[in-house]
Amino acid sequence: MTTPTEVLLPPDADPRLGPVLSGLTACLCATLAAGGRPACACCLVWGNQPPAQDFCSCDCDGGHGQAWVRWASSDPIEDPRGARRRRCFSWRMLETIELGVSRCVAVTAPDGQSAPTCGQREADGWGFVLDKRLLIESVMCCDALRDVQVTPGRAVPLGPQGGCAGVVFPITVEF
């Protein structure tokens, strides 16, 4: 197996989707930091589901957990302007992109007897409510989305599982 020696720039990977994914990632990371909820890892990820919660318990520079942007799917739609352009088929694309964040949550103590307190659970809950708001703001205020049509999806909780929980917010972008 070989690995590429040079990293592709977003426009080289895909001239439309690449800059959107790159810009959304920058917007998400900056919005979480400005909102007082930075993540230790904040990056573009690949996969058919949210990333493994590898960074859930990390602490760094006032932040913890991980945030991500993930391309989730592409759906072609017919282009009413004609079936062929420049001897090629033509259609528009609906790209589903997921933004998310996961962080550690209070769990039962190692003694197996001490469950998280209501105060700990409420602190986790309110933190994720803030994360949800920041995910949505990162999309609403992102310049990388200025020239595309964006349809927000349904923000939903993630987990908890193994001491980690989070929130996921999908959007659909039309090119």
Side-chain angles (χ1 to χ4, degrees):
M1 178 167 78
T2 61
T3 56
T5 56
E6 111 183 23
V7 176
L8 287 172
L9 295 174
D12 295 334
D14 186 313
R16 291 185 191 163
L17 183 60
V20 167
L21 292 172
S22 179
L24 265 176
T25 303
C27 290
L28 173 61
C29 301
T31 303
L32 288 171
R37 300 276 292 171
C40 295
C42 186
C43 54
L44 176 68
V45 299
W46 183 261
N48 63 351
Q49 59 190 4
Q53 297 178 350
D54 298 329
F55 294 92
C56 187
S57 63
C58 79
D59 289 314
C60 62
D61 300 330
H64 69 281
Q66 66 180 339
W68 66 88
V69 171
R70 179 180 73 87
W71 167 78
S73 66
S74 292
D75 293 302
I77 55 176
E78 283 190 43
D79 187 342
R81 295 171 287 205
R84 286 188 177 262
R85 260 191 263 158
R86 294 178 287 145
R87 299 183 324 175
C88 298
F89 286 104
S90 175
W91 55 77
R92 295 188 327 272
M93 296 300 291
L94 294 177
E95 304 284 357
T96 301
I97 300 168
E98 172 189 275
L99 293 85
V101 64
S102 63
R103 304 180 189 275
C104 54
V105 293
V107 296
T108 301
D111 66 11
Q113 304 298 314
S114 305
T117 66
C118 283
Q120 289 171 311
R121 290 178 182 190
E122 286 181 0
D124 289 340
W126 289 121
F128 287 119
V129 169
L130 174 55
D131 283 338
K132 177 196 67 78
R133 179 176 64 88
L134 294 172
L135 288 175
I136 293 169
E137 278 182 21
S138 70
V139 170
M140 292 173 67
C141 301
C142 190
D143 284 342
L145 299 173
R146 180 180 50 242
D147 297 326
V148 296
Q149 181 178 338
V150 178
T151 304
R154 207 175 90 185
V156 295
L158 181 64
Q161 182 175 5
C164 292
V167 63
V168 175
F169 178 56
I171 63 170
T172 302
V173 177
E174 184 177 334
F175 292 111

